[in-house]
Amino acid sequence: MPNIIACFKWVVDEAYIRRTASGELDFSSVDYKIGEYDRNAIEEAVRLKDNLGGSAIALTVGVPEATKGVKDALSRGCDQSCFITDTTYRDLEPSQTAAILAEVIRSRIQNYDLIICGEGSSDLYAQQVGPRLAEKLGIPCISFVQKVSLEEGKLTVERRVEEGIEIIAAPLPALVTVLPDINVPRIPGVKDTLMASRKPMIMIKKDDLAPIGESHLRTASLTAARMERTCERFGTDAAEITRFAESLRKKGVVG
Amino acid sequence: MAGVWIIAENREQTLELLNIACELAADIGTRVAAFLSQDHERVQDYIDCGADEVLVLPPLASDQSIDAYIPIIAEEAKTGDPDLMLLPATMRGKEMAARIAARLDTGLCSCCTALTYDEGSKSPVMERLAHGGAAVQKVTCTTRPAMATIPPRTFEPATPKEDRHGQIRELPAPPPSEVKVLEKKMKERVAKDITEARIIVCAGRGIEKNEDLAFIRQLADALGGEVACTRPIAEEYHWLPEELCIGLSGAQVKPDLYLGIGVSGQVQHLTGIRNAKVIAAVNKDENAPIFRAADFGIVGDLYDVVPKLIAELKK
């Protein structure tokens, strides 16, 4: 029976990011969530476990507040969680996150068959942690997967590429990153949330691990994306519809 | 040896990356090397289009995918010490780049949309979108090589110059792969390539039922454009195929006109249309975010507005 690890990231909910009048990003009233794409990773791990037996472990690296995300992941059906946390883990880059995850998987989890990651985090969307983690662990990596099947020691997946689909087989343990359309993540109910609080949660501190390397990328700036548009409004009566069509014609985009 | 190295899957991607690679190589004062994995007769073509060296990869076994080259490319980079490595931000390209970056223990700027060379810090400055497209992040890389993946069609393709000479080097064959490609199912194009469309009418969640897409199509026909959609229309409702879906994880389009019908304008979707020349929208919710991103917006019920628009455009 497979032991499956689902990795996720606790991220800023981008719907709450505001722009100040001067065009700066305002994070003052943000809320957090499990990244959209990571919910598919958790769901897939739980579905596989439900079908095949075994276990699903939710794994994350983050600041102490991310403990809310750990509870959320458990209420989404994972059996246990492993949370590596430190106040300095706010702006880790993919190479650092992958290094931490690899060390923990190697030293604390060991016995695993499949690691599932989302196709990218919904904040930075660098789409690197999965493939980098597989390299660190020296296991096969298949990204952008839309269907997973597991049989005795073997993984078969459908991987999406620009030109179509590839059916791919790999030995276990392996890592896959899954596409958002692989499943529809469940919405946890009250009972799920209550049950989650009784599940085992392992917490690992920064000091328990080898020091991580320096970041490779330096963010020179992070600014609000500009969408400079004229934002002209129109009504729905005949004259307004004509004026709208005229505006398009004047721009030369409609014949 | 240094240089700007590019690794792409086909000619189209290679020429595009050659263009930006040559520009940066000139600024850095170095040369351009391009990897070539199939169609080996293209060596001179790549040299004509700016490569100073072509690194020829031997053919793959039939059950191997391009990622089998990762160990060869990573070894080559360890000895060759390039300044910068560029790959296309395609599904395979993104995975390969991250895995090569892990092997070289260096930084990678994913989906980089602008690249310049900073004389002061002697490093490339790479620009990308973050937070679902709400933010622009500029990064530099402190380790060698700097790496970036570049979304297809970000830059124009390089054009051939006359009288160019370059070196050619054959690389060793990749080791057998643990990961085996059992079957390749090539997609039959069910839809037109919307990234090429000049006019796009985009169907959003405001559309109530599948049949109503018919008049979205009529509107597109009246405009001489193509129909596209937001993620829920393709993914939740399955009313339209996946490849018509616009957004951060779908198609990034750059038409002359984008017209959103019943599209609320979530940031992930807006990221896919930010390069449209004109953005127009119809939505009944005057507070929908699409109106802040649109040049022209009609606040009204699409079921009232669309027929009127079709009639008006046919005039």
Side-chain angles (χ1 to χ4, degrees):
Chain A
M1 287 190 289
N3 291 322
I4 303 165
I5 301 172
C7 300
F8 73 90
K9 184 177 183 183
W10 185 241
V11 299
V12 166
D13 187 339
E14 68 284 347
Y16 293 90
I17 303 174
R18 309 248 176 270
R19 259 180 74 168
T20 62
S22 57
E24 302 288 304
L25 290 171
D26 174 9
F27 290 91
S28 61
S29 55
V30 293
D31 205 347
Y32 293 79
K33 62 177 181 183
I34 291 180
E36 297 295 332
Y37 309 106
D38 296 345
R39 294 177 198 192
N40 298 103
I42 292 171
E43 181 65 33
E44 196 60 22
V46 173
R47 285 187 191 197
L48 287 169
K49 178 213 59 162
D50 286 347
N51 291 337
L52 305 167
S55 72
I57 306 172
L59 177 63
T60 191
V61 178
V63 291
E65 297 90 291
T67 186
K68 275 195 201 164
V70 173
K71 288 191 187 120
D72 189 358
L74 290 173
S75 65
R76 288 168 186 273
C78 292
D79 303 297
Q80 51 173 303
S81 64
C82 181
F83 177 31
I84 311 131
T85 183
D86 190 79
T87 50
T88 61
Y89 285 171
R90 189 168 300 277
D91 291 309
L92 293 174
E93 70 170 37
S95 65
Q96 296 169 314
T97 306
I100 295 169
L101 292 173
E103 188 189 341
V104 168
I105 290 170
R106 238 191 248 118
S107 64
R108 318 288 161 108
I109 301 181
Q110 292 154 359
N111 183 19
Y112 66 95
D113 301 283
L114 182 65
I115 303 173
I116 307 181
C117 297
E119 66 153 315
S121 61
S122 31
D123 54 354
L124 295 181
Y125 198 61
Q127 302 180 296
Q128 294 179 27
V129 170
R132 280 183 185 263
L133 174 58
E135 286 293 320
K136 292 262 173 216
L137 294 169
I139 60 173
C141 169
I142 311 159
S143 50
F144 305 109
V145 164
Q146 63 176 24
K147 194 173 172 199
V148 177
S149 47
L150 268 182
E151 273 165 48
E152 283 307 304
K154 220 183 87 189
L155 172 73
T156 312
V157 302
E158 284 184 14
R159 168 208 184 138
R160 200 176 305 149
V161 290
E162 275 72 8
E163 320 86 77
I165 292 160
E166 291 178 345
I167 315 288
I168 294 187
L172 297 173
L175 181 145
V176 294
T177 76
V178 295
L179 288 165
D181 47 339
I182 194 167
N183 56 41
V184 178
R186 67 196 66 192
I187 296 164
V190 179
K191 205 174 134 209
D192 301 314
T193 314
L194 288 173
M195 272 175 48
S197 56
R198 289 200 285 271
K199 291 177 178 174
M201 299 198 276
I202 302 168
M203 182 135 62
I204 297 170
K205 297 272 175 28
K206 186 183 176 188
D207 295 340
D208 304 335
L209 302 173
I212 48 165
E214 290 283 301
S215 64
H216 300 300
L217 294 181
R218 193 157 293 158
T219 298
S221 64
L222 185 70
T223 49
R226 273 176 212 286
M227 274 268 206
E228 281 174 10
R229 300 285 172 178
T230 48
C231 299
E232 207 177 322
R233 298 283 178 109
F234 298 81
T236 59
D237 61 32
E240 284 290 280
I241 299 287
T242 306
R243 190 166 73 86
F244 176 83
E246 277 311 308
S247 301
L248 297 182
R249 289 190 183 109
K250 264 186 219 151
K251 285 274 182 185
V253 294
V254 174
Chain B
M1 192 171 82
V4 179
W5 290 14
I6 62 176
I7 303 150
E9 296 160 64
N10 59 37
R11 179 173 189 267
E12 190 187 351
Q13 294 164 4
T14 304
L15 294 200
E16 184 184 330
L17 295 182
L18 273 172
N19 192 5
I20 180 71
C22 288
E23 222 172 87
L24 288 162
D27 291 343
I28 300 171
T30 188
R31 51 212 290 281
V32 174
F35 286 78
L36 175 62
S37 60
Q38 47 182 332
D39 306 323
H40 288 175
E41 72 282 1
R42 293 247 160 81
V43 171
Q44 191 55 43
D45 183 20
Y46 287 3
I47 291 171
D48 291 343
C49 290
D52 299 299
E53 185 176 21
V54 178
L55 304 170
V56 180
L57 292 157
L60 293 169
S62 61
D63 64 356
Q64 280 184 311
S65 164
I66 190 166
D67 58 358
Y69 291 128
I70 289 172
I72 306 291
I73 295 168
E75 278 315 304
E76 206 50 43
K78 279 180 193 162
T79 49
D81 187 32
D83 299 276
L84 176 65
M85 286 170 88
L86 303 177
L87 290 94
T90 54
M91 289 174 166
R92 288 196 192 93
K94 288 190 276 196
E95 180 191 314
M96 275 181 84
R99 291 172 62 188
I100 293 168
R103 286 180 186 233
L104 301 177
D105 197 22
T106 194
L108 164 65
C109 173
S110 302
C111 290
C112 169
T113 49
L115 263 167
T116 50
Y117 179 68
D118 179 46
E119 197 61 53
S121 62
K122 300 263 177 243
S123 66
V125 181
M126 302 173 279
E127 203 173 295
R128 65 183 303 271
L129 294 170
H131 295 295
V136 179
Q137 186 187 22
K138 278 189 185 173
V139 297
T140 57
C141 185
T142 57
T143 44
R144 285 176 68 88
M147 290 184 67
T149 55
I150 296 178
R153 303 204 182 94
T154 303
F155 301 105
E156 294 296 312
T159 47
K161 310 249 175 342
E162 276 179 32
D163 212 21
R164 281 196 42 89
H165 304 280
Q167 292 171 308
I168 301 161
R169 197 149 54 86
E170 305 259 347
L171 298 179
S177 307
E178 275 191 300
V179 172
K180 304 232 181 277
V181 181
L182 304 180
E183 197 186 337
K184 292 181 185 182
K185 292 184 188 168
M186 291 307 110
K187 184 162 51 185
E188 286 171 49
R189 278 234 152 264
V190 282
K192 288 217 175 136
D193 185 356
I194 46 163
T195 62
E196 305 268 345
R198 299 179 61 83
I199 294 178
I200 292 175
V201 179
C202 183
R205 218 201 269 260
I207 291 160
E208 286 166 12
K209 48 188 192 299
N210 197 348
E211 301 82 77
D212 300 344
L213 285 174
F215 66 69
I216 301 300
R217 215 170 291 278
Q218 283 170 26
L219 177 57
D221 289 343
L223 285 162
E226 303 294 334
V227 173
C229 66
T230 59
R231 191 148 277 288
I233 299 291
E235 213 159 74
E236 281 174 36
Y237 305 155
H238 303 285
W239 290 348
L240 285 170
E242 192 73 26
E243 64 252 44
L244 292 184
C245 172
I246 296 176
L248 186 65
S249 54
Q252 324 268 315
V253 297
K254 33 182 132 176
D256 289 340
L257 171 64
Y258 163 96
L259 174 56
I261 306 293
V263 173
S264 67
Q266 285 196 344
V267 68
Q268 287 86 349
H269 179 71
L270 297 181
T271 300
I273 62 169
R274 64 202 306 270
N275 293 319
K277 199 165 138 198
V278 173
I279 296 178
V282 178
N283 197 304
K284 64 180 169 193
D285 175 9
E286 61 172 335
N287 296 316
I290 189 82
F291 289 124
R292 292 196 292 278
D295 297 291
F296 307 121
I298 299 179
V299 183
D301 183 350
L302 70 94
Y303 289 90
D304 168 42
V305 173
V306 170
K308 288 181 184 167
L309 254 183
I310 293 171
E312 173 66 36
L313 289 163
K314 281 186 177 161
K315 270 185 197 170

